[in-house]
Amino acid sequence: MTSSFILIVAASLDYFIGDPLGWLHPVQVMGWVISRFTKFALLYCHNSLTQRIAGIALSIILIFGSGLFSWLLIQGAKLLHPLLGIFLEIILLASCFALKSLRVAAETVLEPLTAGQLVNARSVLKNYVGRDTENLPESEILRAVLETVTENATDGVMAPLFYAIIGVFIPVIGPAPLALAYKASSTLDSMVGYKEAPYTYLGWLSARLDDCLTWVPCRLTVLTLALLSGQPKHVWEICRKDAINDPSPNSGWSECVYAAILGVQMGGTNWYNGVAKHKPLLGEPKHPITSTSIHQALKLTKYCFLLWLGIAVLTVISYQ
């Protein structure tokens, strides 16, 4: 019952408050460790073998270290006072969810865009995407926001919840350590999980681990959203046709399910540092992407999150 309480309060804190400005976020600490380790490894590891070994060490240290360190922190807090342990776990778990962060990021770009301030919108968008934004028209800005919102719905919202729920059913571990371990994997992938130099060998394991850890929650998210849409067969057929063309085993599925439900098309040509990169087209262009599409996608993520949360809590209560 305590774990269910922690899960509900952490989710509520994230949705209504989000990450308070000025607070040290666990992902910031993870990023600092990855950055320092990467600089050290690239300085002293000069061939593919030693860089692969360094990549293995980095993945083990950060993923298992994040889970273990958070568990030790929580247990230490509980020794001082049980309520202190609960409070700490709530704060740590809330930091793993990104419902409000996604909503705020989208609204930050949409606000100047709807006001006709195209240059401003491009500038703000640059904070959230890796693609070149300097010359994007309004339609491409909207596509970039929707792709960011839908891709991160899985690894920023649903996958951390998935591992937190698993932790609820393993009382000796609890929800926060598993969610933080997943968050470490996701952060590793976003920082070093690239095929391009200098991360080709250093980040190979990070990328594969994140793909594996995200695979199940991604498919469950797709199935849940398909059911919520009321047209599961149609949505699943589009995903099976288009999502498999994406080189990522997860992000294509995460984006495609929203595209299928909303009746829009994502993917196409993006520019990165002046180099064109084509992504497979996902979904059918029945409607243009608008700010309404983005708000609908955010609502779908919220409903999916609440459904998983409700099922988990009811399951725990029924077994008490």
Side-chain angles (χ1 to χ4, degrees), residues 234-288:
H234 170 71
V235 170
W236 184 251
E237 285 174 351
I238 291 177
C239 288
R240 287 191 63 188
K241 176 174 66 74
D242 294 344
I244 58 173
N245 297 321
D246 195 285
S248 168
N250 298 309
S251 63
W253 284 84
S254 187
E255 291 178 28
C256 192
V257 66
Y258 287 91
I261 294 171
L262 298 173
V264 301
Q265 189 172 73
M266 288 187 266
T269 302
N270 300 327
W271 293 81
Y272 299 88
N273 297 317
V275 179
K277 184 176 181 181
H278 184 76
K279 289 189 66 178
L281 297 175
L282 306 172
E284 300 170 346
K286 296 178 181 178
H287 311 290

Side-chain angles (χ1 to χ4, degrees), residues 83-101:
L83 290 179
L84 181 60
I86 292 173
F87 174 78
L88 180 60
E89 186 157 18
I90 287 171
I91 298 300
L92 288 173
L93 183 57
S95 73
C96 296
F97 303 139
L99 264 176
K100 183 167 185 180
S101 297

Side-chain angles (χ1 to χ4, degrees), residues 66-107:
S66 297
L68 179 60
F69 184 68
S70 60
W71 183 83
L72 290 173
L73 273 180
I74 293 164
Q75 297 308 310
K78 285 180 179 178
L79 289 176
L80 295 175
H81 195 286
L83 290 179
L84 181 60
I86 292 173
F87 174 78
L88 180 60
E89 186 157 18
I90 287 171
I91 298 300
L92 288 173
L93 183 57
S95 73
C96 296
F97 303 139
L99 264 176
K100 183 167 185 180
S101 297
L102 277 181
R103 189 169 73 248
V104 169
E107 290 171 350

Side-chain angles (χ1 to χ4, degrees), residues 1-6 316-317 320:
M1 187 65 75
T2 302
S3 292
S4 296
F5 173 77
I6 291 170
V316 171
I317 292 174
Q320 294 300 316

Side-chain angles (χ1 to χ4, degrees), residues 10-309:
S12 301
L13 279 178
D14 171 67
Y15 185 78
F16 292 107
I17 299 175
D19 300 319
L21 292 174
W23 283 35
L24 182 64
H25 196 283
V27 171
Q28 290 178 282
V29 179
M30 294 172 190
W32 182 85
V33 172
I34 295 168
S35 180
R36 291 302 179 96
F37 189 100
T38 300
K39 288 179 181 178
F40 177 85
L42 293 176
L43 182 63
Y44 292 102
C45 302
H46 302 294
N47 58 63
S48 60
L49 177 61
T50 53
Q51 287 185 7
R52 284 181 186 274
I53 293 171
I56 293 171
L58 175 59
S59 296
I60 293 172
I61 290 169
L62 198 76
I63 296 173
F64 288 97
S66 297
L68 179 60
F69 184 68
S70 60
W71 183 83
L72 290 173
L73 273 180
I74 293 164
Q75 297 308 310
K78 285 180 179 178
L79 289 176
L80 295 175
H81 195 286
L83 290 179
L84 181 60
I86 292 173
F87 174 78
L88 180 60
E89 186 157 18
I90 287 171
I91 298 300
L92 288 173
L93 183 57
S95 73
C96 296
F97 303 139
L99 264 176
K100 183 167 185 180
S101 297
L102 277 181
R103 189 169 73 248
V104 169
E107 290 171 350
T108 303
V109 179
L110 292 177
E111 186 175 342
L113 189 64
T114 53
Q117 301 169 2
L118 195 60
V119 175
N120 230 2
R122 290 169 180 160
S123 178
V124 175
L125 178 64
K126 190 67 178 176
N127 297 322
Y128 302 108
V129 299
R131 70 191 73 178
D132 300 339
T133 64
E134 291 80 8
N135 301 308
L136 292 182
E138 181 178 347
S139 59
E140 286 297 293
I141 293 174
L142 288 167
R143 177 169 73 89
V145 174
L146 185 60
E147 287 176 354
T148 300
V149 164
T150 55
E151 180 181 353
N152 286 287
T154 295
D155 56 18
V157 180
M158 299 311 302
L161 177 61
F162 173 81
Y163 286 102
I165 290 171
I166 290 178
V168 167
F169 292 97
I170 310 175
V172 70
I173 297 178
L178 281 185
L180 281 163
Y182 173 78
K183 205 71 179 175
S185 173
S186 179
T187 305
L188 272 168
D189 181 58
S190 66
M191 291 184 69
V192 299
Y194 302 102
K195 293 181 180 179
E196 297 81 10
Y199 305 116
T200 308
Y201 304 109
L202 184 65
W204 71 277
L205 183 62
S206 299
R208 283 158 180 76
L209 276 176
D210 186 67
D211 286 345
C212 291
L213 291 173
T214 308
W215 198 93
V216 172
C218 178
R219 269 58 184 181
L220 289 176
T221 299
V222 170
L223 289 171
T224 305
L225 289 171
L227 290 171
L228 287 173
S229 74
Q231 45 183 351
K233 184 179 178 182
H234 170 71
V235 170
W236 184 251
E237 285 174 351
I238 291 177
C239 288
R240 287 191 63 188
K241 176 174 66 74
D242 294 344
I244 58 173
N245 297 321
D246 195 285
S248 168
N250 298 309
S251 63
W253 284 84
S254 187
E255 291 178 28
C256 192
V257 66
Y258 287 91
I261 294 171
L262 298 173
V264 301
Q265 189 172 73
M266 288 187 266
T269 302
N270 300 327
W271 293 81
Y272 299 88
N273 297 317
V275 179
K277 184 176 181 181
H278 184 76
K279 289 189 66 178
L281 297 175
L282 306 172
E284 300 170 346
K286 296 178 181 178
H287 311 290
I289 297 173
T290 64
S291 58
T292 302
S293 309
I294 294 165
H295 287 299
Q296 287 174 334
L298 290 166
K299 283 183 180 179
L300 283 167
T301 304
K302 179 179 70 174
Y303 296 152
C304 187
F305 185 90
L306 290 174
L307 181 61
W308 283 22
L309 185 65

